[in-house]
Amino acid sequence: YQRKFGRPFAFVPPVVDPALLLRGPAPPPVDLGGRGVMIGNVWGRAWLRRLAALTAATGVELDWWSSAGLGWQELSAAELARAGIRWRPGPPDAELVRLLRRAPFALLPSGTLDAGDDHRAIARLSLPSTAVYTTATAHLPLLVLGHQETAAARFAVRAGGGWSVPYDRGAFLGAVEELRRPEVQAR
């Protein structure tokens, strides 16, 4: 970048307070049938619409903590709640980590990489910091929705701590059921 554009360039990755890192195995949550979690932003409006349709159709419920708000999304907090997604403003990190450690899995909507995907480049090339954050602080199994070649899906599968499934009712329910199994939680 510096050579091409003649401007200084620096990269600062997201960081986690070392006190919040989970350094050993975590006991599985007591309620493996509980609500899954999402944190941070959902970059594609279509991704959120697809997710809401899936949760509404399957009865799978999610808590979504995000400090960004919903002003740029097409779905309101009430519409999301009717679909089984409870949106809340992001709490301070220590509280968020406590909540994450109680959840059976983290969900990350991503792109489909097809013509209807409103953010193909982001989906293919950008690893959401939320994937790294939930892994480092809570060792949560990660369920990525979308195409298996998105950056998030490649991270989850290659790191061995997650699954990638398309926005498909059967695949989604199968993955959620698998993620809630005690032996999968222990692994």
Side-chain angles (χ1 to χ4, degrees), residues 54-61 105 107 143 145 165-181:
L54 266 181
T55 55
T58 61
V60 173
E61 295 184 320
F105 65 92
L107 189 131
L143 176 55
L145 290 174
V165 297
Y167 289 91
D168 171 82
R169 186 182 192 277
F172 177 62
L173 280 174
V176 168
E177 184 177 306
E178 180 74 9
L179 289 168
R180 288 178 168 160
R181 293 179 44 216

Side-chain angles (χ1 to χ4, degrees), residues 110-113 120-126 144-155 157-158 164-165:
S110 191
T112 56
L113 304 182
R120 280 190 302 232
I122 289 175
R124 185 178 295 281
L125 302 172
S126 178
V144 179
L145 290 174
H147 197 280
Q148 64 189 7
E149 287 302 315
T150 64
R154 290 190 317 264
F155 169 80
V157 172
R158 287 181 186 163
S164 169
V165 297

